[in-house]
Amino acid sequence: MAETRNHLSPADGIWSLRRLPDMDEAQFSQWQTLLEHRTGITLSSGRKSFLETNLGIRMREIGCSSYQAYYEQIVSGPDAIMEWSTLVDRLTVQETRFFRDPDAFRLVSDYVLTRPREALKKRPLEAWSVGCSTGEEPYTLAMLLNECMEGLSLQPLFGVTGSDISKPAIDKAQSGLFSARKLMGMDEAMKARYFRPAERNNVEIVKSIRERVCFTRLNVLDLKHAPMHGMNIIFCQNLLIYFRRWRRREIVKRLAERLAPGGLLVLGQGELTDWQPPGLQRVPSEHVLAWIKRQTDEE
C-alpha cells in the first residue's frame, strides 16, 4: 500500500493530506537498475514498499511530487551527486549495536590470543570493518583488541579501519557519540571502562580507543582500488545479503586479496553458501562463518 504523506498546500497555507501515487513496475525496475549499477545492492520485488517509503520521505522533504521526477533529479539534476549521497544513506544504514554478534567477536578474540607473541610484538595488528555503518562494529573490534593485548601483557599495537558507502554514517562514527541503547547487552565493566557520559543522554567512546580507529568512505564495488592491504582481521557482517550471489563471491575474493597470510576473514552466517573462496581455509565453527588465509610466507 502506498504511503500517505503530509504536504503543505500553498493555496491555503495549512497542512493537508495527499496520497503519493503507487510506484509502477517500470519505475521500480529503473530504480532497481540504478541501485544495482551504482552500489551493487539488489532490491527484490518484496522490497518495493521499503523503497516507496524511503523515497517518499525524501521527496516530501525536498518538495518532489513524483517518483519519475525524483529519479531524473538523482540522475541528472544540478545537485545529483549530493542528493544521491543523501538517498544512499537512507537506503543502506542499518540498525546496529556494540558486540552485536558475540560468537563472532569471541572467535576474533581467540584468534588474537593464540597468535605467536613475537609476531604481535613485531607488527601492529590491523583490522578492517567493511560496511561499518555508524561505527559500533569497528569500535567493538578496537575494544576487543585492547582487551586481548592487555591479557597478553603486550603493548597495544593495533589499528582498526571502518569503511562504509554512506558519508553521513561515517561522519556519525567519527564523532564517537552514541545513544545509551546502543550499549544494550554489553558487559557492565566494559561499559565503565570504554565509555564516558556525554551531553543529551549520550555516551562517548574514550579517547584511547577513538585514537585507534579511523574511518573512510568506500563503495564495496571499488574494492580493487581500496588502499587496505596486509590486514590481519577483516570483519564483514550483514553486508553481503544485499548482493547477488556472483557479486558476493567477487567481493569476498577482493577481501581475501587484502588479508595478510594467516589473516582472518569473518562474514555473517548464511551470507556465502556452497562455495570455498580460493586461498582460504574454513574455520571450524557452528556459529560463525570465517576463514583463515593460508600461509604462503613466514610472517
Side-chain angles (χ1 to χ4, degrees), residues 31 38 56 90 94 145 159 175 214 221 223 259 275 295-296:
W31 278 103
R38 291 190 177 183
R90 302 291 179 86
Q94 303 299 313
L145 294 179
S175 75
C214 66
L221 296 190
L223 282 176
L259 277 174
W275 182 62
Q295 296 275 160
T296 54

Side-chain angles (χ1 to χ4, degrees), residues 16-29:
S16 61
L17 292 176
R18 185 174 71 199
R19 180 186 174 85
L20 276 177
D22 289 325
M23 178 183 287
D24 62 37
E25 290 306 315
Q27 288 172 329
F28 182 56
S29 178

Side-chain angles (χ1 to χ4, degrees), residues 76-87:
S76 57
D79 298 318
I81 295 176
M82 187 176 298
E83 185 57 37
W84 172 251
S85 177
T86 300
L87 181 62

